[in-house]
Amino acid sequence: MGTKKIEVVMRELDLEEGKVIVRPTYLSICAADLRYYFGQRKKEVLRKKLPLALVHEGIGKVLYDPCDRFAVGENVVMLPNIPGTVLPYVKENYLSDSIFMSSSTDGFMQDMVGIQAEQLIKIPNGDRVYVLSELMSVAFNAIMEFENTANPRRRVAGVWGDGNVGFVVALALRYLYPSLRVIIIGKHSKHLQYFSFADQCYLVDELPESIRFDHCFECVGGYGSAEAISQMIEHILPGGSIALMGVSENEVLINTRKILEKGLKLYGNSRSSREDFQRSVDLITNYPEVASYLQTIISQVHTVRGVEDMYTAFEHNETGDFKTVMKWSV
Amino acid sequence: MIYAGILAGGYGWDQRKDDMPKQFMPIGSKPIIIHTVEQFIVNPSIQKIIIAVPENWVVYTKDLLRKHITAGDKIDVILGGHNKNNTLHGIVNFIEAEYGIEEKDVLVSHDAIRPFVTQRIINENIEAVKKYDSANTAVPTIDTIIKAGKEKQIVEITPDRIFYSEQTPQTFCLKKLQEIYKNEQLAKRHVNAVKMFMEAGNSVRLVYGEYANIKIVTQYDLEVANAILRDKTND
């Protein structure tokens, strides 16, 4: 895939190295895919990385496993991260020699995906909701780090961002910390309607002056990052923590003076590990309400039989409130 | 017992199936469905309310009710069917299983996307069913009804004041409705429960509706609904 150009490439099937062959059933489009598709990354990045098979959120059925670890037809979630060096104190998703499918190598938009058994997690059925496991795992990655980093006050958490990431972070917080007040701060009242499980939702410019948070999660990214982070620093209690999760192409200005004054902790989160994936699969499986909430943010499902349908799915992504999912039928 | 069945199983015809169903969109300060349910909560004749919603929106609806309505024990939320009659059938089955159906029971069924139903309309529906088997809310059409042929030629211009636009509530003697649903062929053939009820040989009484009792289906309706609410609050 190049900028706004999708091409079909034939490759030899590689049955070497004990790889499992999976046929994708549902693939979900992420903002990162769109940035490649619409050419919104920096020129040198695009030149270096494209052409590339996009998409790193996917589930599928096992077609072939040379070592019989999976049954033919078994439903699996595919993990995009191919871990490199193993270090006990840094998670695999942060190491520079780890490979991320759809960024440093081809992603899941393939007729058949050859993948290591360690990159697959079994799921009880082929329900399309599991395609959101990757998104949910990113929330788990951040919340596990929050557990390690943040002071033990768990009264009020603020989640900035009413998009996909904000939704799953808020949802995971709701289920992992039942007594925590979860407050959403967003820009789109239509999106905020979906957060029925949150204790309170505010539009960015209507956040009451007096409101205070123990901890904050930034799920905004892009141009809104600076504004969101400065609002967090303003409203957070001393000693609080801010999880940074939104991707921004440009550098973001932040008020370090206030950070020093309040003794805040800011920490970065991106992607997720196998452990996070397993946790999100378990959450979806064990809590039907969580699955139900997640179904509501699958805003569009496109059946994709060929290149034309792929264009439709990518071009129309913006018209849905949340996720666009491709029912992969190539 | 007098039950209200709120039909919220649909998505609205101009909407992609994957978007947020219209009944959950806000007008004024709260979701449409909450405005609707409130009309039935405050009606002293209504003892139980059963809301049927689309797949995946059950927990969401329960959240909304928890946030906006305190008399939550009066309300059950169930899964809707693939059309209106089917959804109503589901409500009847639920009542049968949960509470049992007796001779005098009445079911007032109402579209979730008609939040401007009035107490007068609800009461007259209930009154009508005490005397007749069923009631259907309607208003006289304002525009003259024209019948056209296949080639778009006008076949007939009908006399004024004999045609009505159907609204809801549609209200039934619950026992009779339950009997009719046992005839699966008949139930399957109909999308409109009142039509089915008539075909089974029952009488239906017309209850005068209100022009404001609109069905919010399109974006335009949503704007009209907000305008209606603004006018109400400005009075």
Side-chain angles (χ1 to χ4, degrees), chain A residues 288-307:
Chain A
E289 315 91 88
V290 171
S292 195
Y293 286 125
L294 288 175
Q295 297 274 16
T296 66
I297 62 158
I298 298 180
S299 299
Q300 293 190 28
V301 180
H302 294 276
T303 301
V304 171
R305 293 195 179 80
V307 174

Side-chain angles (χ1 to χ4, degrees), chain A residues 134-151:
Chain A
E134 199 275 341
L135 182 64
M136 189 51 122
S137 74
V138 173
F140 267 103
N141 175 56
I143 292 171
M144 292 307 128
E145 197 50 44
F146 163 71
E147 206 31 56
N148 294 332
T149 307
N151 72 45

Side-chain angles (χ1 to χ4, degrees), chain B residues 82-83 85 183-191 196:
Chain B
H82 55 84
N83 67 40
N85 195 20
N183 180 346
E184 276 178 35
Q185 287 304 319
L186 182 66
K188 232 183 237 171
R189 214 168 45 240
H190 288 281
V191 177
M196 174 187 77

Side-chain angles (χ1 to χ4, degrees), chain B residues 4-231:
Chain B
I6 307 296
L7 308 176
Y11 285 86
W13 60 263
D14 75 329
Q15 241 181 339
R16 290 185 312 275
K17 209 183 162 184
D18 309 307
D19 217 338
M20 180 174 267
K22 277 277 188 301
Q23 56 270 31
F24 300 123
M25 307 280 245
I27 52 171
S29 64
K30 44 200 160 186
I32 291 170
I33 192 168
I34 295 297
H35 289 278
T36 308
V37 171
E38 281 172 346
Q39 289 299 330
F40 289 89
I41 282 277
V42 298
N43 189 298
S45 305
I46 306 282
Q47 283 138 308
K48 281 272 174 202
I49 299 169
I50 294 105
I51 309 174
V53 301
E55 203 185 349
N56 301 323
W57 293 88
V58 174
V59 287
Y60 180 89
T61 307
K62 287 181 177 168
D63 287 340
L64 290 189
L65 292 168
R66 211 172 12 252
K67 269 184 195 168
H68 296 280
I69 290 170
T70 41
D73 53 335
K74 229 177 147 178
I75 306 173
D76 294 297
V77 182
I78 67 169
L79 207 58
H82 55 84
N83 67 40
K84 261 172 86 165
N85 195 20
N86 199 254
T87 299
L88 190 64
H89 192 175
I91 291 175
V92 173
N93 286 344
F94 178 82
I95 295 173
E96 187 179 350
E98 210 62 27
Y99 306 109
I101 293 178
E102 285 165 29
E103 211 62 50
K104 281 193 160 174
D105 289 348
V106 170
L107 174 60
V108 183
S109 82
H110 185 69
D111 296 338
I113 48 175
R114 290 185 191 272
F116 301 124
V117 63
T118 65
Q119 294 300 307
R120 194 233 356 123
I121 297 175
I122 297 172
N123 291 336
E124 286 184 9
N125 264 268
I126 296 169
E127 283 308 309
V129 173
K130 283 183 185 161
K131 287 189 209 140
Y132 310 92
D133 298 320
S134 160
N136 197 5
T137 311
V139 285
T141 53
I142 294 173
D143 299 319
T144 300
I145 303 291
I146 292 172
K147 191 174 172 185
K150 275 191 183 138
E151 305 295 320
K152 291 199 175 145
Q153 80 280 23
I154 292 177
V155 175
E156 192 188 345
I157 295 180
T158 68
D160 285 344
R161 298 280 146 180
I162 65 160
F163 284 99
Y164 286 75
S165 298
E166 188 186 59
Q167 300 186 335
T168 67
Q170 296 182 332
T171 304
F172 305 93
C173 160
L174 199 42
K175 192 84 192 166
K176 288 210 163 157
L177 191 59
Q178 180 193 23
E179 285 303 315
I180 290 169
Y181 278 131
K182 284 181 185 155
N183 180 346
E184 276 178 35
Q185 287 304 319
L186 182 66
K188 232 183 237 171
R189 214 168 45 240
H190 288 281
V191 177
N192 187 323
V194 167
K195 208 171 165 193
M196 174 187 77
F197 209 75
M198 283 171 68
E199 201 183 305
N202 296 293
S203 67
V204 181
R205 197 69 176 181
L206 189 151
V207 168
Y208 210 85
E210 286 288 348
Y211 289 105
N213 183 21
I214 59 164
K215 191 171 176 176
I216 303 171
V217 182
T218 62
Q219 191 58 37
Y220 173 76
D221 300 332
L222 208 56
E223 279 161 34
V224 171
N226 269 312
I228 291 174
L229 265 191
R230 261 198 298 281
D231 285 350

Side-chain angles (χ1 to χ4, degrees), chain A residues 5 11 77 130 138 218 279 281 300 321:
Chain A
K5 203 171 105 200
R11 292 254 173 78
V77 178
Y130 285 103
V138 173
E218 177 269 321
R279 284 202 174 99
V281 166
Q300 293 190 28
D321 285 339

